[in-house]
Amino acid sequence: MRAATARADAAAILQAATFLREGRLVAFPTETVYGLGGDATNDLAVAAIFEAKARPRFNPLIVHVRDLAHAETLAAFNMPAHHAAARFWPGPLTLVLRRLPGARLSLLASAGFETLAVRVPAHPIAQALLREADRPIAAPSANRSGRVSPTEAAHVAEDLGDNVALILDDGPSPVGLESTVLDLSEEPPVLLRPGAVPLEALIELLGPVALTGSGSPKSPGMLASHYAPHLPVRLAATEACPGESLLAFGPDAPPGFAEVLWLSRSGDLVEAAANLFAMLRRLDRPHLTGIAVMPIPEHGLGRAINDRLRRAAAPREDSNSSPSPRKRAEGSKGPR
Ligand code: TXA
Ligand code: MG
């Protein structure tokens, strides 16, 4: 049975909220990517999220709330957190803060950590769902673990099928890249995941921000190989290899590729971010040998785009994946 997909009108939002309160999972649009939502106060619902994504271990989840006031009942807001929330919420910034002892939340949502990742999404459908469900929603990106994040309802149906009670469809995600994850639980702030809010904007507001490498225990979800299509991904490509497709950036693409999709012809990083995941999916087809990507500048949203591309290109850690990554079975066991 395929998951039901419904246009995100008032009736569908009401139905989705009812499913959430019953402990079932619902996929919904946010400004970044589609999320796989479950009631963050319900251990069984949160466990079902890990199960549906086939996450190999319990990475903590982002808890979505409707506003700052609700977030303040769950996590300890210090001065930097107040500044960041005032400037970027609602919006694509996730704050990692100390979890309040009395917070009514499934412990599994933060995977036993003393901190909590919390965000107030700006998307009107996400906002309407949060208000209707009247509870915090734990929501990772609505893809199978290790795959490219979904920026359309159809991507969710492809990846998660009948593991979700309802998919709310509101068209392509406007930003197309996940939220920036910023740890403010200690001094100085630490960037755990580059994302839709550029590092430059955080530094301007908060001063120095420390960076963390992948594999750091502070960023449990940031494994090297992640966001991966089935085909191998080759970065900073300047010429074609036989049978490869190309993700192009800027006006001129090198010749000889089997197929070319433009992240942005004008070299606009915002447009490129919005196209990235959908285009990776479109080029991930068995008659091609790989996906090459032209160089992307490392500033603004380019930092998050390059982060996702590096992970898509990283060596796959399961034995089936090399030397023919194309044969990798969906749901195979790499630590992603
Ligand atoms: O844009 C987004 O953030 C999307 C939409 C649906 O909101 N969600 C999303 O969730 O990308 P997910 O689960 O795919 O990524 C959550 C990231 C992971 O890298 C995880 O390790 C990190 O946030 N994270 C969550 N809780 C944390 C915590 N307590 N400490 C450190 N990192 C945490
Ligand atoms: Mg994800």
Side-chain angles (χ1 to χ4, degrees):
M1 193 188 79
R2 296 289 275 180
T5 299
R7 199 171 60 81
D9 58 17
I13 291 166
L14 200 64
Q15 176 66 75
T18 305
F19 281 146
L20 283 172
R21 283 197 298 267
E22 291 170 358
R24 300 178 69 186
L25 305 186
V26 165
F28 63 99
T30 81
E31 67 275 35
T32 58
V33 299
Y34 276 72
L36 174 64
D39 177 351
T41 68
N42 178 336
D43 285 317
L44 283 176
V46 174
I49 294 176
F50 289 106
E51 171 74 16
K53 281 186 62 97
R55 275 209 189 193
R57 60 197 173 102
F58 293 145
N59 288 332
L61 304 176
I62 298 171
V63 171
H64 298 66
V65 295
R66 67 180 168 267
D67 55 22
L68 172 62
H70 192 174
E72 282 175 313
T73 68
L74 305 176
F77 277 70
N78 47 27
M79 268 326 261
H82 278 293
H83 290 314
R87 171 79 179 76
F88 295 110
W89 280 1
L93 179 68
T94 295
L95 297 179
V96 172
L97 301 170
R98 300 208 148 265
R99 177 190 173 115
L100 289 178
R104 218 187 120 235
L105 283 175
S106 160
L107 283 178
L108 188 55
S110 45
F113 281 66
E114 282 177 12
T115 51
L116 179 71
V118 62
R119 112 167 165 95
V120 177
H123 197 290
I125 304 301
Q127 276 287 335
L129 184 63
L130 282 163
R131 276 194 304 274
E132 204 62 63
D134 193 25
R135 62 201 58 204
I137 300 177
S141 50
N143 51 285
R144 280 181 78 85
S145 190
R147 299 289 321 275
V148 174
S149 293
T151 55
E152 293 173 20
H155 301 161
V156 181
E158 260 166 52
D159 266 23
L160 298 178
D162 55 7
N163 285 320
V164 41
L166 181 63
I167 301 170
L168 291 177
D169 184 356
D170 193 56
S173 310
V175 178
L177 272 183
E178 298 85 350
S179 63
T180 300
V181 180
L182 183 68
D183 186 348
L184 293 178
S185 66
E186 287 168 43
E187 280 282 323
V190 182
L191 182 73
L192 296 182
R193 177 175 73 182
V197 170
L199 177 62
E200 292 88 336
L202 297 174
I203 293 174
E204 192 185 306
L205 182 75
L206 301 171
V209 172
L211 306 180
T212 177
S214 81
S216 153
K218 287 216 95 178
S219 52
M222 297 304 280
L223 299 163
S225 169
H226 206 104
Y227 306 99
H230 293 103
L231 287 179
V233 174
R234 190 166 66 87
L235 304 182
T238 50
E239 51 192 49
C241 290
E244 256 185 346
S245 63
L246 179 71
L247 277 181
F249 184 82
D252 304 311
F257 286 93
E259 192 170 336
V260 180
L261 291 179
W262 254 273
L263 286 171
S264 170
R265 268 184 204 273
S266 64
D268 177 355
L269 290 167
V270 174
E271 185 188 7
N275 284 330
L276 179 67
F277 290 141
M279 289 185 173
L280 278 173
R281 279 180 187 257
R282 271 168 62 194
L283 293 179
D284 196 17
R285 294 204 312 273
H287 71 278
L288 299 166
T289 59
I291 304 172
V293 191
M294 286 175 67
I296 311 286
E298 183 76 14
H299 60 77
L301 284 186
R303 192 184 299 273
I305 294 172
N306 283 323
D307 171 80
R308 304 307 187 269
L309 286 170
R310 279 192 291 271
R311 289 171 207 286
R316 317 282 164 90
E317 290 173 41
D318 65 86
S319 53
N320 296 335
S321 65
S322 182
S324 17
R326 195 196 302 164
K327 295 214 185 81
R328 174 158 61 81
E330 187 121 336
S332 59
K333 292 277 181 313
R336 2 175 158 253

